[in-house]
Amino acid sequence: MRVPLSWLREYVDLPATETGRDVQAKLISAGLEVETVEHLGADLKGPLVVGQVLTIEELEGFKKPIRFCTVDVGQANGTGEPQEIVCGARNFSVGDKVVVVLPGATLPGGFSISARKTYGKVSHGMICSSDELGMGDDGTHGIIVLPPETEVGKDAVELLELVDEVLDIAVTANRGDCLSIRGVARETAIAYGLPLRDPALLDVPGPNAFGYPVKVSDPAGCDRFTARTVTGLSPDARSPIWLQRRLQKVGMRPISLAVDVTNYVMMELGQPLHAYDRHQVQGTIGVRRAQEGEKIVTLDGVERKLHAEDLVITDDRGPVGLAGVMGGADTEIADHDPAEEGAAATTDVIIEAAHFDQVSVARTARRHKLSSEASRRFERGVDPQAASAAAQRTVDLLVLLAGGTAEAGVTEVIAPSAPHTITLAADHPDKVAGVTYGRETVVRRLQEVGCDVYGQDELIVTVPSWRPDLTDPNDLAEEVIRLEGYENLPSTLPRPPAGRGLTGRQRLHRRIGRALAGAGYVEALNYPFVSEQVFDQLGLEADDPARRVVKLVNPLSDEEPALRTSLLPGLLAALRRNDGRGSHDLALFETGLVFQPRDAARVAANLPVDRRPSPDDIAALNAALPDQPRHVAVVLAGAREQAGWWGKGRPADWADAVEAARTVAREAGAELGIRKGQYGPWHPGRCAELTVTVDGAERVVGHAGELHPRVLKTLGLPARACAMELDLDVLERVGDTVPQAPSISTFPVATQDVALVVDAYVPAADVEAALREGAGELLESIRLFDVYENAEQLGEGRKSLAYALRFRADDRTLTVDEASAAREAAVALATDRTGAVLRG
């Protein structure tokens, strides 16, 4: 919200010495986020005056139209002689009043003006446009043409209010009242301890039977609708300079008098308004929900298909506006354009000032992707009591500026409602802040906000209509605290109980992060939001549990409305982004929560904030949340080992992804089973299924390997990219995190190698498991060091697996016979289970 300081001073008598920076500091202390203070005209120096065009000579022979003008600037040039100026604009004529900057002046941006020769003539100054003066867009894209009654030679800096300070306030979602000069003026008055001249305190006539007919069919969506009619508007009336400048300063473009007045009142009072061309409205104005399939062309010229939940304004033809969002083109105010034959300007208007349900407006604006100044205010809460005052203010301005006549008819349709009251203990703000304010301070601050307060130890507080965000005692406590100054709250460090430190789960997650970082991986933290489309891109089956997602009611982006069920989408997006920026050798990891919906959906209760929730409260809250297991995932692409003078490098492959899983399992103290698998995004021939034993049953906890070429192409990933993902919570459950000291034996090791020939389809993991079990307790380690396939030597469909077996006893040196016996037992069991035979 942009707030000109000159406009603010109309409602609060600020000291003349107060600058925009001073007001900024006061408002920040009161809890408003004033981002910047813009100094308009800070580097502008005169002379800048009003001139009248006397003659225009068209210069020929140039690539673009050029005009040589003489302009009467009165005595501003010291001689009274006409000023000769070269100008390329064409939107002015002889006799027009324009803004002239004379030699010696400086325009915004440090542009100095001097007499100079151009296009064969000497130009003594410049005829100015609004952009050149830093005024903003006035809709003409040309020279400023002033009203005919403007005095020649008058100081244009003062006339156009070019010097001012504008506060830019970032209004939070709960402070819709501050999206108006009235609301900011109220906060300023409180901050300075000064009285407020409320612009909404107007004499408003009561409703009568002569007003324009209105029918509200949905009082829940529209609890107040005020309609006023003004007739006989002058077709030639234009918005005065002061009104145009105020709109420009708050960031709006002047359009036409009727529209400018409604925008002006909206910025002044915070009440959105809409003006209808009375001759274009047919029959009774209605407010109802749209019928499915109805259409409307809004003021931006777009035809929109309406939804059954959209609240619309109608006449006898159907919808003529999206309530609280944007009006329809059918009843648009028409401006007078002399160049357009047959175009009749609007002379009679109906003014709408209504109060719409903020949730309904927000959903309609989001559904149609149509955010407007009106919808911004309705979404955040508009004062319903201001509607009649805003309508009256609009009528008064149209009568004053356009010579219109206010009809006696006043329409007000109001749904019955009672003011909102809150019971508040007088010492409640003291307890929340840890500061003793006292009852008098609490009552005074709440009254400054606009509340009516009664009672002694227990206060009955009636909330003002312009603060719909005040709903419970803690909101009132916050008002007292912020007005007394957040900076006055004492800083108290919490006292944590001694001896607690990190939990076992936290220590495990940190160890895993350090281990993966030590293995060359870089941690990448990603947003937990995904699009359901990504599951198709990952090649998941239609019935895959990972497709069941938790959807957000109010997502940050409509393209990603769901919470992730896997870490891979975010990591693969980070991989693609970094690869596209020239980093081709990548190894990324992430540990984080994934979200799995429960079978029975529950609604979480609002927990109290004035005390610690009970264990039952916390348990009920957790039961309403989705399951949130913690996963770990890695992705790799490019070189795993770089080439150099030491030798050739090595590209990352599926084995590196499997080794990352082993690294995680070692840190968790879990025994990880690895076997051939096939799932979703992984290459069916290069995918490992990762398992652990839970309560005597084998459970799949993740997958690792090379990604499918189809997935790589769909996601735009580098070739041969690999990935791994594991369920950390299950690993923590089955793991033994007690540190195990290494066993160092003083007896020598006995090494036995064995090469077994098996069918090509037999997994090496099955052969290794049989060898391990058959070798017994003397086996210290087993390692697969060679895989060999040769149809001529081994036969078709056969392969050779060579293992190194290490045997050792804790209490003696093994004999050759003992080591050989263990080896033979291992081979025998492998032969029995897998059909293996000794090679050679």
Side-chain angles (χ1 to χ4, degrees):
M1 175 67 189
R2 291 170 56 85
V3 180
L5 191 59
S6 59
W7 199 350
L8 196 62
R9 288 182 183 275
E10 281 200 8
Y11 310 125
V12 184
D13 288 326
L14 295 172
T17 56
E18 287 294 286
T19 66
R21 294 290 184 189
D22 299 328
V23 177
Q24 178 188 31
K26 285 282 190 179
L27 292 180
I28 288 176
S29 178
L32 293 184
E33 187 179 346
V34 184
E35 294 186 327
T36 59
V37 178
E38 183 180 353
H39 297 269
L40 302 181
D43 52 355
L44 177 65
K45 296 179 181 178
L48 190 72
V49 298
V50 176
Q52 183 173 22
V53 180
L54 300 178
T55 64
I56 298 176
E57 177 187 350
E58 301 288 345
L59 301 182
E60 305 293 339
F62 300 103
K63 293 182 179 179
K64 60 180 181 179
I66 298 297
R67 312 168 96 186
F68 181 65
C69 310
T70 58
V71 185
D72 178 14
V73 294
Q75 297 299 319
N77 57 5
T79 65
E81 295 295 325
Q83 200 79 2
E84 296 179 340
I85 299 174
V86 175
C87 183
R90 308 192 65 79
N91 68 312
F92 64 96
S93 306
V94 172
D96 283 346
K97 303 288 181 67
V98 294
V99 178
V100 178
V101 57
L102 301 177
T106 303
L107 294 182
F111 182 59
S112 298
I113 303 300
S114 61
R116 64 190 182 96
K117 188 173 183 179
T118 178
Y119 297 102
K121 300 285 186 178
V122 177
S123 181
H124 298 273
M126 189 169 74
I127 303 175
C128 298
S129 68
S130 60
D131 287 338
E132 290 163 342
L133 296 179
M135 296 169 56
D137 184 12
D138 63 355
T140 64
H141 302 292
I143 294 302
I144 301 171
V145 178
L146 300 172
E149 64 272 14
T150 310
E151 179 185 350
V152 172
K154 184 178 179 62
D155 183 5
V157 175
E158 179 183 352
L159 175 69
L160 299 178
E161 303 177 17
L162 297 179
V163 178
D164 202 350
E165 293 182 274
V166 178
L167 286 70
D168 194 351
I169 303 176
V171 180
T172 54
N174 65 319
R175 292 303 304 271
D177 60 305
C178 288
L179 285 174
S180 66
I181 303 296
R182 178 197 184 200
V184 176
R186 183 181 293 107
E187 290 294 318
T188 306
I190 295 172
Y192 279 90
L194 297 171
L196 169 71
R197 288 189 293 274
D198 191 344
L201 295 181
L202 301 174
D203 291 330
V204 180
N208 53 51
F210 309 108
Y212 197 91
V214 174
K215 179 181 180 181
V216 177
S217 303
D218 191 336
C222 175
D223 57 7
R224 181 182 291 264
F225 195 106
T226 300
R228 300 288 298 277
T229 303
V230 180
T231 60
L233 301 181
S234 170
D236 298 320
R238 293 291 176 267
S239 300
I241 292 174
W242 64 266
L243 192 150
Q244 293 187 43
R245 288 297 294 133
R246 287 193 169 177
L247 290 178
Q248 287 174 327
K249 289 177 184 179
V250 297
M252 302 191 77
R253 180 172 64 87
I255 298 173
S256 65
L257 178 59
V259 176
D260 292 348
V261 166
T262 59
N263 286 336
Y264 177 84
V265 175
M266 176 180 68
M267 302 307 297
E268 182 180 56
L269 301 182
Q271 168 66 52
L273 300 111
H274 189 69
Y276 300 91
D277 187 328
R278 181 174 181 176
H279 298 296
Q280 301 298 327
V281 178
Q282 299 181 11
T284 301
I285 293 177
V287 184
R288 61 170 172 82
R289 297 289 171 175
Q291 297 173 7
E292 197 69 43
E294 281 187 313
K295 295 181 180 180
I296 183 175
V297 178
T298 46
L299 288 174
D300 56 359
V302 178
E303 183 179 77
R304 303 181 186 277
K305 186 176 181 180
L306 300 179
H307 188 276
E309 292 184 5
D310 291 336
L311 193 67
V312 294
I313 310 298
T314 65
D315 64 5
D316 290 350
R317 296 167 297 178
V320 295
L322 282 173
V325 181
M326 185 174 285
D330 289 343
T331 56
E332 181 180 7
I333 297 294
D335 193 16
H336 175 62
D337 187 356
E340 188 175 345
E341 295 184 6
T346 298
T347 57
D348 301 340
V349 297
I350 302 171
I351 305 301
E352 167 210 302
H355 184 260
F356 301 111
D357 175 59
Q358 58 191 93
V359 174
S360 176
V361 172
R363 289 179 175 173
T364 297
R366 182 179 292 271
R367 188 180 299 118
H368 294 284
K369 296 181 174 59
L370 185 63
S371 180
S372 64
E373 291 290 343
S375 68
R376 280 187 67 211
R377 285 160 175 78
F378 280 121
E379 288 173 17
R380 289 160 175 78
V382 169
D383 180 5
Q385 302 294 332
S388 56
Q392 182 64 45
R393 177 75 164 137
T394 305
V395 169
D396 292 343
L397 287 172
L398 288 176
V399 170
L400 174 67
L401 302 177
T405 301
E407 289 196 352
V410 178
T411 302
E412 278 197 5
V413 180
I414 302 174
S417 63
H420 180 54
T421 59
I422 302 172
T423 301
L424 173 75
D427 62 349
H428 183 66
D430 301 1
K431 294 178 180 179
V432 173
V435 177
T436 302
Y437 293 120
R439 179 188 176 280
E440 290 186 3
T441 299
V442 171
V443 171
R444 175 172 57 85
R445 288 303 190 183
L446 292 178
Q447 287 176 339
E448 287 176 346
V449 171
C451 299
D452 291 329
V453 186
Y454 304 95
Q456 292 298 318
D457 294 338
E458 188 173 79
L459 305 178
I460 306 300
V461 181
T462 302
V463 175
S465 59
W466 57 82
R467 291 299 302 275
D469 58 305
L470 303 180
T471 59
D472 58 53
N474 291 305
D475 293 330
L476 300 178
E478 183 182 3
E479 291 300 295
V480 175
I481 295 168
R482 76 174 182 88
L483 295 179
E484 284 295 303
Y486 291 120
E487 68 276 9
N488 296 322
L489 294 176
S491 299
T492 305
L493 292 175
R495 296 181 179 179
R500 288 196 176 177
L502 298 176
T503 65
R505 188 185 192 201
Q506 291 170 327
R507 287 195 296 270
L508 172 62
H509 297 161
R510 293 194 179 191
R511 285 203 313 273
I512 289 172
R514 285 194 295 266
L516 290 174
Y521 291 86
V522 177
E523 187 170 17
L525 302 178
N526 300 290
Y527 284 116
F529 313 116
V530 296
S531 165
E532 292 182 89
Q533 208 174 23
V534 76
F535 302 126
D536 296 326
Q537 297 170 337
L538 292 177
L540 299 187
E541 298 291 339
D543 58 349
D544 195 297
R547 285 183 176 270
R548 293 185 63 236
V549 295
V550 177
K551 288 189 177 181
L552 300 174
V553 175
N554 189 22
L556 292 178
S557 169
D558 290 335
E559 296 179 358
E560 295 180 330
L563 292 172
R564 66 188 179 191
T565 56
S566 167
L567 300 182
L568 289 184
L571 273 178
L572 293 177
L575 182 72
R576 179 180 61 249
R577 186 165 53 250
N578 283 277
D579 181 71
R581 293 174 180 174
S583 299
H584 304 302
D585 302 326
L586 296 162
L588 308 177
F589 84 93
E590 180 179 11
T591 62
L593 301 179
V594 299
F595 305 86
Q596 300 167 352
R598 299 180 187 269
D599 294 333
R602 300 183 184 179
V603 178
N606 289 324
L607 298 184
V609 297
D610 58 341
R611 58 180 174 81
R612 188 184 188 281
S614 68
D616 291 340
D617 291 337
I618 297 175
L621 179 64
N622 289 331
L625 298 176
D627 288 327
Q628 301 176 55
R630 182 172 288 270
H631 282 200
V632 59
V634 306
V635 293
L636 305 102
R640 186 69 176 126
E641 296 176 4
Q642 295 290 339
W645 58 265
W646 52 83
K648 295 181 179 180
R650 181 179 66 82
D653 61 17
W654 62 269
D656 294 302
V658 174
E659 183 56 32
R662 289 196 179 100
T663 299
V664 172
R666 281 195 297 270
E667 293 298 328
E671 185 174 344
L672 192 66
I674 301 172
R675 65 188 182 201
K676 181 179 179 181
Q678 182 173 345
Y679 177 70
W682 280 276
H683 192 297
R686 297 170 187 152
C687 173
E689 192 173 71
L690 311 174
T691 65
V692 295
T693 301
V694 182
D695 298 330
E698 190 176 61
R699 177 172 171 180
V700 177
V701 292
H703 295 83
E706 184 179 316
L707 295 174
H708 199 290
R710 183 174 58 251
V711 173
L712 299 179
K713 181 178 180 181
T714 302
L715 295 177
L717 299 172
R720 308 302 292 269
C722 303
M724 178 277 294
E725 184 167 13
L726 275 173
D727 188 330
L728 265 185
D729 284 359
V730 178
L731 287 183
E732 180 187 9
R733 177 180 169 187
V734 302
D736 182 5
T737 57
V738 177
Q740 298 292 328
S743 176
I744 301 176
S745 176
T746 59
F747 299 100
V749 66
T751 302
Q752 297 273 353
D753 292 344
V754 59
L756 301 175
V757 177
V758 296
D759 290 331
Y761 63 83
V762 176
D766 291 351
V767 178
E768 180 179 327
L771 290 173
R772 188 183 298 277
E773 183 179 344
E777 296 180 354
L778 295 179
L779 181 67
E780 184 179 76
S781 68
I782 181 171
R783 179 174 62 88
L784 174 66
F785 66 86
D786 183 57
V787 179
Y788 177 72
E789 295 183 15
N790 188 310
E792 294 182 2
Q793 296 184 14
L794 303 178
E796 193 69 35
R798 304 279 282 176
K799 64 182 178 182
S800 170
L801 305 175
Y803 293 90
L805 285 67
R806 291 167 58 92
F807 300 98
R808 195 191 319 250
D810 295 334
D811 56 350
R812 66 188 188 281
T813 299
L814 293 179
T815 65
V816 174
D817 292 340
E818 287 178 310
S820 298
R823 172 182 178 275
E824 291 171 1
V827 171
L829 188 58
T831 300
D832 182 57
R833 287 189 178 175
T834 65
V837 296
L838 280 170
R839 181 179 171 187

